Each structure stands twice: as structure tokens, then as C-alpha cells.
Amino acid sequence: MNSKESCRSELRTAIRQLSDRCLYSASKWAAEQLIGIEQDPAKFTPSNTRFQRGSSSIRRRYRTNEITSTPIAGVSYVSTPVMEDDTVDGDFYLLAKSYFDCREYRRATHVLRDQTGNKSVFLRCYALYLAGEKRKEEEMVELEGPLGKSDAVNRELVSLERELSTLRKNGLIDPFGLYLYGLVLKEKGSENLARTVLVESVNSYPWNWNAWSELQSLCTTIDSLNSLNLNNHWMKDFFLASVYHELRMHSESLAKYEYLQGTFGYSNYIQAQIAKAQYSLREFEQVEAIFEELLRNDPYRVEDMDMYSNVLYAKECFSALSYLAHRVFMTDKYRPESCCIIGNYYSLKGQHEKSVMYFRRALKLNKNYLSAWTLMGHEFVEMKNTPAAVDAYRRAVDINPCDYRAWYGLGQAYEMMGMPFYALHYFRKSVFLQPNDSRLWIAMAQCYETDQLRMLEEAIKCYRRAANCNDREAIALHQLAKLHCELGRPEEAAFYYKKDLERMEAEEREGPNMVEALLYLATYYKAQKRFEEAEVYCTRLLDYTGPEKETAKSLLRGMRTTQSGFPSMDVEHFPS
């Protein structure tokens, strides 16, 4: 990778250029990576290290140990010259930028109508695009149907496509114009051309994270990613790490972020992305530790905290989730992430109507906020309002067809409506997207077990996959044992009961499943005339007080009378 000083210099220039063109989110991203570059120890001062102090401990504690191959040091990187700015901004540009900053996009467009410089052309077109987006949002509110559905479109796309296409053909467009052209093409559905144009943009000017993000949204398969002809700039590694995560290549994503930490060792962005990858792998303890450290380091952060709330929800950490909800409410209660966190809090308290209210509020702030649609669907399932749940989940998969949680939710909803064939279709989609999640395999297996299907062999295959995917709920082994028993396969049933029993012992869990396993194994080994093993299980059953105790006594008596030469056992001496 390029030297830290080189990256630092490039980012400082890029931040100014991006801010000049009102690309504020890209400018913010670049500034965060600038601060994330590890300082030269010779230049350490309290002022320039205060922001960096926290995240190094995460890096030390949670390095991705399972990754053994990282990119080799000294990889050759193509040097992209930092773009020279236009001449000093004219008075009209300064006025237009002021209007833009005040969200008066039409006025900004009008002021720049006769300006021909690249910066002026970009800002005019970008302001026009945002004016169209603003009007589209207004129409969506005015014309929305059930659950916020609307056919409103950005009416400026056609004229923008015509103008930007002409500029590109004539070679009069800069990398920022190419980014906007790619964005317009994507909105119009011309995905292949949009990919080509965005690649041109990032190859010419790689520091615009907005362009990389739009390109990422168009890389929905590994083939589409491999078809991109990208220069080997260090920004490409950030892009690849993010795309790998979206394509569910979590180990590859973690390896890239591990590599980037060599330069950006204090980047909060990288830490948050590592947490996302670990979340997808269901490593909740590591995710929780990373987010706790992020909040200590950046206490007013709201971005990505909705994922942290999902972890706290899954672990049923009431007090921690309550504290997080209060914290984001006081920081910025009108952020979609804040509303989702508060919604999760009320859901954990069992106040599902109030939870739905906050998820709806999140969607008022951002119609395409995927988590809110999915979580709202979960709440409707809890409230037994399956039609509303189906609508919410469908909106989620319309936004992102790769959201396995929404497909899983659709499967659950149709299962509740007694439509297992439909449910199975959606469970298959979810398990294709997230093949390492035992819950999805178990849901699919239970679908196969329903009275309408009774496809028990298929159910067994699904439970086996679940057992191999670290089945945290400990359902798969028990069900495998029961199904084999039902199908008249005592040897396989005994094998799975024994494995389930070993797991329960290791986790120190008691309950009816343990009694069932002990009883079956005692009966099985007695039938196999393996009396010593049968006696061990029977003796353990004598510790229980239910009918299983009498059954165990009966088994022991039977073994005493049927096995000649077997040591005599006075069953009556066992405590009653």
C-alpha cells in the first residue's frame, strides 16, 4: 500500500474538492479515514491522538485469527494524480453553492444556467437531480398508497441523461459528472451502462466514496464484480471489502479490512464494518465488544448503532438496550437509526404497537430504510397481523433482494397462514442467501414436517445442515433423533439422542429433552442386550421424580430377570 503520508496527502486534497462540490457524505467519509491513519510516533501530541486512542484496543483484542492469508506487502498500486481544481470559483458559483447549502436547489440551478466550467456544470446538474428527488419525495407523501407505496419518479432524469450523455460523448465531462451520470443511469434502470460509467469515474478520481457505493449496489454477483476493470488504487481495497460483505464472502471481507488496518489502524469505519461481518457470522460477543469501544471513542455516533441494538435485542440485554435507546434519543431522535433502536427497545418490552409506531417513523424519514421494513414485519408477525407482515417483508425484498431476514419473515408469515408450499419457497430463498444460519435450516425442516407435506427425509437433511451450522438453540439434534425414531431407525435415533445428551451435559442443561434421551437410550441398549450401558441411563433416570423413574425401575427389573449371570440388583433399595 502507498505510504501513510501519501494517503494522508491525497485525502486532505480530496476532502476539499468533495466539499467544494457539495458531496458532503463522501467528504465526511474521507475525513474519517484521514483521522483513521495511524500517526507517526515522532509527531504524537495529545491533540492529534485523542480521537484515535480507543480503537487500537479493538484491533488487538479482535484480530480475525481465522484468516491466515492476507495480501502480500508491497503490492504495486497505480498512482492516480490528484485532480487539479478549476480556476478560482466565480461569484456565480459561490452564490449557487450558498443556495445549495440552504437546500434551495432550483435557485442554485438557475444561477449556474450560463456557466460552462466543469465544477459549475456538475453543481448545476447535481442541484437539478436533488430538486427532482425532493419533488419525488413530496409526491410520495401526497400520493402514497398502503404502506407508503407510490409510483412517483424523479422527473429530471430524462433531461439530465440527455445532457450528461452528450458531454461524455464530446469528452467534456469530469469524474464528478461521470458519477452523476452513472447515478442517473442507475435510477433509470440502465445498469450495464451505469457500471461502465461509474468505473470510468472511480478510475479517474478514486476518492469519491459515493461513486464506489453506487458501483457496489450494481455488483450483485461475483461475476459482475469480476467484470469490472478497476485501477489498482488503495481505495479499491475499501470497495472490495465492502462488496465482499454484501456478497456474503465474509472471510474475504475480513481479510481485506485486516489488511487496510495496516494503514488505517484507527478508522472507526473499518471497525464498524468488521462488526457487521462478525454480526453476519453471528459472533455476537465480538460485535458487542467492538460497538462498546466505538461508543467510548465516538460517544455521539448514531450510524450503524441499529445493528448494535439488534445484538442487544438478540441477547435480551434490557438495560443496555434501554441505555442505548436513551443515548441516541438525546443525540438525534429524528434519525432512522434512532427510531429503529427505540423500536427494538419497545419490542423487547413486548410493546409491539409502540414498536411499530417507531419503525413507521423511521420509514417516514427514509422510505428505503431496509431494517425498518424487516423489523416492522417481525412486529406484525408477533401481533398475528400476517397480511401487514407480508406487505412489510415484500417492501424489504423490493429494496434489497439479498436480505435473507425478509425472505425468512415471508416464510414465517405464510407458515402461520397454513400455506407450507409458499413458506418453503421463501425459506429456500433465505437459506440460499445465508447458508450458515441454523435457524433457517430448522424453519425449512419444520415446514417439511407439516401435515400437508410430510417430507421427512428432506426434513432430516435440513436438520443435519442445521446441526453442522452451530445450532445455538439445540433443536436440530433432538429433532433428528425423533424423526429417525419415527421412521423406525433405532440405531440412527440412538446416535442422535446420545449426541444431544452430550451437548446438554456440556452446556449443563436439564429438561424434558434430557429425560426423553435417557429413556430412549436405556430402552435401546436394553433391547441390544448391552445391559451395562442401559443400567447407566436407568440409574440417571432414578434421580427424577416423574413417571420416568418408575419406567427406569421397571427396565432394571426386566434386565435382572432376563439376563442370566447379570449381577443381582435389589431395585427396592433405590430411593422412592
Side-chain angles (χ1 to χ4, degrees):
M1 185 176 284
N2 291 16
S3 73
K4 292 175 184 177
E5 202 51 52
S6 169
C7 294
R8 201 176 281 121
S9 173
E10 290 176 25
L11 284 169
R12 282 179 185 139
T13 306
I15 291 161
R16 287 191 290 271
Q17 292 171 332
L18 292 162
S19 295
D20 266 357
R21 289 164 176 81
C22 302
L23 294 168
Y24 295 122
S25 62
S27 176
K28 181 184 86 168
W29 186 90
E32 286 178 347
Q33 305 327 303
L34 174 63
I35 292 296
I37 298 174
E38 199 164 353
Q39 296 286 349
D40 182 346
K43 299 176 183 176
F44 270 7
T45 64
S47 62
N48 67 13
T49 60
R50 185 170 61 249
F51 191 76
Q52 297 185 343
R53 197 167 289 145
S55 53
S56 61
S57 62
I58 308 173
R59 192 173 160 212
R60 286 195 300 273
R61 287 167 60 196
Y62 290 112
R63 294 188 75 84
T64 47
N65 297 325
E66 68 277 10
I67 297 161
T68 55
S69 57
T70 53
I72 299 165
V75 173
S76 171
Y77 279 82
V78 174
S79 177
T80 306
V82 173
M83 209 184 104
E84 289 299 323
D85 270 323
D86 298 348
T87 52
V88 177
D89 295 335
D91 296 344
F92 285 106
Y93 186 87
L94 293 171
L95 176 60
K97 187 174 183 304
S98 300
Y99 286 149
F100 188 104
D101 290 344
C102 294
R103 294 173 57 86
E104 297 183 64
Y105 302 126
R106 298 276 179 196
R107 293 184 80 186
T109 302
H110 180 73
V111 166
L112 294 172
R113 66 192 181 282
D114 298 322
Q115 305 300 304
T116 56
N118 278 340
K119 276 178 77 173
S120 296
V121 168
F122 169 76
L123 191 62
R124 175 172 55 79
C125 291
Y126 190 38
L128 187 60
Y129 169 78
L130 290 179
E133 286 294 297
K134 189 177 177 184
R135 181 63 195 135
K136 181 178 84 171
E137 287 177 9
E138 290 166 355
E139 287 181 3
M140 286 170 72
V141 173
E142 293 161 6
L143 308 173
E144 70 181 10
L147 274 177
K149 293 180 181 177
S150 168
D151 297 324
V153 295
N154 186 336
R155 300 181 189 279
E156 307 299 339
L157 295 179
V158 175
S159 61
L160 282 169
E161 183 186 15
R162 191 184 308 120
E163 180 178 356
L164 293 167
S165 173
T166 304
L167 288 171
R168 179 170 174 256
K169 282 175 187 170
N170 296 334
L172 299 173
I173 197 167
D174 69 355
F176 298 100
L178 286 168
Y179 153 65
L180 183 58
Y181 184 32
L183 184 57
V184 168
L185 288 167
K186 180 195 155 194
E187 292 279 325
K188 292 201 71 189
S190 305
E191 293 190 355
N192 289 333
L193 182 54
R195 260 194 297 270
T196 303
V197 170
L198 287 167
V199 166
E200 289 176 24
S201 175
V202 297
N203 279 344
S204 306
Y205 188 88
W207 303 279
N208 180 5
W209 184 245
N210 286 5
W212 289 109
S213 298
E214 294 300 333
L215 185 57
Q216 175 188 305
S217 68
L218 296 169
C219 295
T220 53
T221 65
I222 192 66
D223 291 334
S224 60
L225 175 62
N226 291 336
S227 69
L228 303 180
N229 184 21
L230 296 167
N231 288 348
N232 203 19
H233 189 271
W234 54 265
M235 281 290 290
K236 179 183 172 184
D237 288 322
F238 277 101
F239 168 71
L240 289 175
S242 186
V243 175
Y244 287 154
H245 175 68
E246 289 300 315
L247 294 175
R248 300 169 302 285
M249 298 164 63
H250 302 304
S251 295
E252 292 85 346
S253 176
L254 285 167
K256 277 288 178 194
Y257 285 125
E258 181 91 3
Y259 176 49
L260 284 164
Q261 281 185 320
T263 299
F264 300 90
Y266 293 94
S267 168
N268 285 347
Y269 166 81
I270 290 178
Q271 294 301 337
Q273 298 309 303
I274 288 172
K276 285 183 180 180
Q278 299 283 14
Y279 178 80
S280 299
L281 296 169
R282 296 182 63 74
E283 300 290 346
F284 291 158
E285 297 297 332
Q286 295 190 19
V287 176
E288 188 177 4
I290 291 172
F291 276 121
E292 282 174 1
E293 190 99 19
L294 277 175
L295 277 176
R296 277 195 291 273
N297 194 36
D298 189 4
Y300 299 103
R301 182 187 182 96
V302 176
E303 195 176 355
D304 302 317
M305 287 299 125
D306 52 333
M307 181 175 290
Y308 181 31
S309 78
N310 291 341
V311 172
L312 296 175
Y313 182 94
K315 294 181 69 179
E316 298 186 1
C317 299
F318 283 91
S319 58
L321 185 52
S322 171
Y323 176 69
L324 179 65
H326 178 75
R327 190 169 187 160
V328 296
F329 182 85
M330 299 305 291
T331 300
D332 189 349
K333 65 180 179 181
Y334 292 118
R335 282 274 292 271
E337 295 94 332
S338 301
C339 294
C340 266
I341 292 166
I342 297 167
N344 268 340
Y345 167 68
Y346 282 116
S347 176
L348 192 58
K349 287 184 72 179
Q351 298 181 23
H352 301 297
E353 292 84 359
K354 207 160 186 179
S355 178
V356 166
M357 183 184 80
Y358 275 97
F359 292 135
R360 286 192 188 279
R361 188 173 292 178
L363 292 166
K364 288 282 184 188
L365 297 164
N366 181 357
K367 292 280 183 187
N368 294 323
Y369 193 50
L370 181 66
S371 290
W373 285 116
T374 306
L375 293 170
M376 190 162 73
H378 295 344
E379 293 308 300
F380 284 132
V381 167
E382 291 292 330
M383 294 160 67
K384 303 293 188 288
N385 186 351
T386 44
V390 168
D391 278 341
Y393 289 133
R394 287 200 185 283
R395 286 301 298 271
V397 296
D398 286 345
I399 294 165
N400 182 4
C402 294
D403 180 23
Y404 78 92
R405 296 172 306 164
W407 291 116
Y408 173 65
L410 278 168
Q412 279 189 308
Y414 279 101
E415 194 173 33
M416 284 172 65
M417 291 190 284
M419 302 167 75
F421 286 100
Y422 285 93
L424 196 57
H425 170 72
Y426 294 119
F427 285 142
R428 279 176 179 154
K429 281 185 173 289
S430 71
V431 87
F432 172 76
L433 293 167
Q434 189 78 357
N436 296 320
D437 193 329
S438 62
R439 296 169 305 166
L440 309 184
W441 288 108
I442 288 168
M444 201 152 83
Q446 289 170 343
C447 214
Y448 279 125
E449 285 185 90
T450 54
D451 291 336
Q452 293 102 312
L453 298 182
R454 296 303 292 168
M455 297 169 69
L456 300 186
E457 292 295 344
E458 296 300 317
I460 284 172
K461 289 177 188 173
C462 292
Y463 281 128
R464 278 183 186 146
R465 287 296 299 266
N468 292 332
C469 293
N470 188 19
D471 171 25
R472 293 167 189 266
E473 285 80 17
I475 294 170
L477 290 173
H478 184 72
Q479 290 300 115
L480 279 167
K482 287 181 75 171
L483 283 174
H484 280 299
C485 183
E486 189 177 337
L487 292 168
R489 300 170 186 166
E491 194 173 331
E492 289 90 339
F495 172 78
Y496 285 112
Y497 271 125
K498 198 168 184 179
K499 284 188 77 171
D500 193 30
L501 189 61
E502 287 167 1
R503 175 166 180 162
M504 286 186 279
E505 287 168 350
E507 295 175 0
E508 298 181 352
R509 283 192 293 112
E510 295 280 342
N513 285 3
M514 180 170 275
V515 172
E516 186 180 327
L518 289 168
L519 203 52
Y520 184 88
L521 289 168
T523 310
Y524 171 76
Y525 284 120
K526 183 196 171 196
Q528 296 292 311
K529 302 195 184 304
R530 292 162 65 176
F531 296 121
E532 287 186 16
E533 289 165 89
E535 182 192 345
V536 169
Y537 295 115
C538 284
T539 306
R540 288 181 62 179
L541 281 167
L542 294 171
D543 294 334
Y544 292 89
T545 55
E548 59 274 3
K549 180 175 181 177
E550 296 306 316
T551 307
K553 284 184 177 183
S554 174
L555 287 168
L556 286 167
R557 287 192 196 99
M559 283 187 282
R560 182 187 59 187
T561 56
T562 57
Q563 178 67 5
S564 60
F566 194 76
S568 176
M569 297 171 60
D570 190 353
V571 179
E572 297 308 320
H573 286 172
F574 286 109
S576 346

